[in-house]
């Protein structure tokens, strides 16, 4: 008899994902295209200490894999910029909170001023709010992925490996497979970068963790911000 767990998606393989056209600084006023996918009415995106712990683990891996991707393509690595990290964090927070509020998975480069999480209309505006005057490029996406049980969240090795897989999937499976996002990651003249991720539980329990137990599905919003 076939083991039913062999038919399940592996941990952090993207179940649903979406990316939007990259914002590049050479066209700073390029409109960001809005994308939204309706969340089932019985699902609520929630965040807690477990999702916060996973976010902290994903960020350094996201920076690492972006630079590894550039190195593999013969480019210099990018300097970690705390101001750009802050700018990326502004937008990741905006995306997940607007999604929670409207019950839609939202992706947009241009933030709406009426939002309580508004930090600047464009990536460059958000960088200015963060304290750096730079023209910025930006990549953004969301992914729904298999979750972790509370016991797995509590294991440092499991948490780190899960963060590593999620970050690698964002860079090599999502942004890599989109030409404008790939070109953004491979722009030769960029010198610095900031990354951020916001993660929430959707409440869906139809996903399976490493142990094969049911766990709430996760949604992750990833943001890369680049500057010269």
């Amino acid at each position: 008899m076939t083991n039913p767990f062999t038919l399940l998606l592996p941990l952090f393989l993207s179940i649903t994902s979406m990316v939007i056209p990259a914002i590049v600084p050479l066209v700073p006023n390029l409109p960001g295209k809005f994308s939204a996918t309706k969340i089932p009415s019985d699902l609520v995106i929630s965040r807690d200490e477990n999702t916060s712990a996973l976010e902290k683990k994903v960020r350094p891996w996201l920076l690492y894999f972006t630079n590894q991707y550039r190195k593999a393509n013969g480019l210099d690595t990018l300097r970690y910029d705390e101001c750009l990290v802050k700018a990326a964090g502004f937008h990741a927070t905006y995306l997940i909170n607007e999604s929670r509020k409207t019950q839609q998975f939202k992706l947009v480069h241009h933030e709406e001023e009426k939002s309580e999480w508004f930090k600047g209309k464009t990536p460059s505006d958000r960088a200015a709010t963060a304290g750096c005057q730079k023209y910025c490029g930006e990549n953004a996406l969301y992914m729904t992925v298999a979750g972790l049980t509370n016991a797995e969240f509590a294991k440092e090795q499991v948490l780190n490996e899960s963060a590593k897989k999620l970050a690698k999937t964002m860079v090599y499976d999502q942004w890599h497979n989109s030409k404008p996002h790939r070109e953004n990651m491979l722009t030769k003249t960029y010198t610095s970068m900031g990354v951020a991720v916001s993660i929430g539980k959707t409440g869906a329990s139809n996903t399976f963790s490493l142990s094969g137990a049911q766990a709430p599905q996760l949604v992750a919003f990833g943001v890369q911000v680049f500057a010269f």
Side-chain angles (χ1 to χ4, degrees):
M1 179 178 178
T2 303
N3 184 338
F5 292 128
T6 63
L7 304 179
L8 299 175
L9 290 173
L11 181 69
F12 284 119
L13 177 66
S14 173
I15 299 170
T16 302
S17 62
M18 187 173 291
V19 295
I20 46 176
I23 288 287
V24 294
L26 296 180
V27 193
N29 295 318
L30 179 67
K33 292 187 177 180
F34 172 81
S35 300
T37 300
K38 187 68 176 178
I39 302 172
S41 59
D42 59 339
L43 297 185
V44 177
I45 299 174
S46 62
R47 304 175 76 187
D48 56 24
E49 65 276 7
N50 286 334
T51 57
S52 294
L54 183 56
E55 289 172 358
K56 291 177 182 178
K57 293 289 186 181
V58 172
R59 290 177 198 134
W61 282 118
L62 194 52
L63 179 70
Y64 171 79
F65 283 122
T66 303
N67 273 331
Q68 287 297 106
Y69 186 76
R70 286 177 63 87
K71 284 176 65 176
N73 285 274
L75 299 176
D76 292 336
T77 58
L78 300 177
R79 177 176 54 85
Y80 175 87
D81 188 312
E82 290 189 2
C83 184
L84 297 181
V85 170
K86 190 173 182 180
F90 285 157
H91 198 50
T93 298
Y94 174 91
L95 293 174
I96 196 169
N97 283 329
E98 282 294 319
S99 296
R100 294 173 69 186
K101 180 179 179 180
T102 62
Q103 282 296 107
Q104 290 181 317
F105 291 139
K106 286 188 174 180
L107 280 180
V108 63
H109 286 301
H110 285 199
E111 296 182 2
E112 296 182 4
E113 292 186 35
K114 64 182 180 181
S115 171
E116 61 185 288
W117 300 285
F118 175 79
K119 293 294 184 179
K121 187 175 182 180
T122 70
S124 297
D125 293 336
R126 292 187 286 276
T129 301
C132 43
Q133 298 291 334
K134 298 181 179 181
Y135 283 113
C136 298
E138 181 180 84
N139 285 343
L141 60 72
Y142 80 78
M143 298 169 54
T144 56
V145 296
L148 298 171
T149 64
N150 287 336
E152 288 167 339
F153 269 117
K155 296 179 180 178
E156 187 74 12
Q157 183 176 353
V158 173
L159 195 65
N160 190 57
E161 187 61 28
S162 299
K164 181 179 178 181
K165 290 182 179 180
L166 178 54
K168 190 172 184 179
T169 298
M170 287 182 174
V171 173
Y172 286 95
D173 292 347
Q174 300 299 322
W175 284 317
H176 165 75
N177 288 322
S178 167
K179 182 179 179 181
H181 297 85
R182 182 169 64 249
E183 291 176 345
N184 228 8
M185 290 194 293
L186 297 178
T187 297
K188 293 181 179 180
T189 49
Y190 286 144
T191 61
S192 57
M193 175 178 63
V195 298
V197 61
S198 289
I199 298 172
K201 299 176 181 178
T202 67
S205 296
N206 59 346
T207 63
F208 293 81
S209 69
L210 282 174
S211 64
Q214 286 193 327
Q217 183 187 61
L218 301 177
V219 59
F221 293 84
V223 178
Q224 297 169 312
V225 177
F226 307 96
F228 299 114

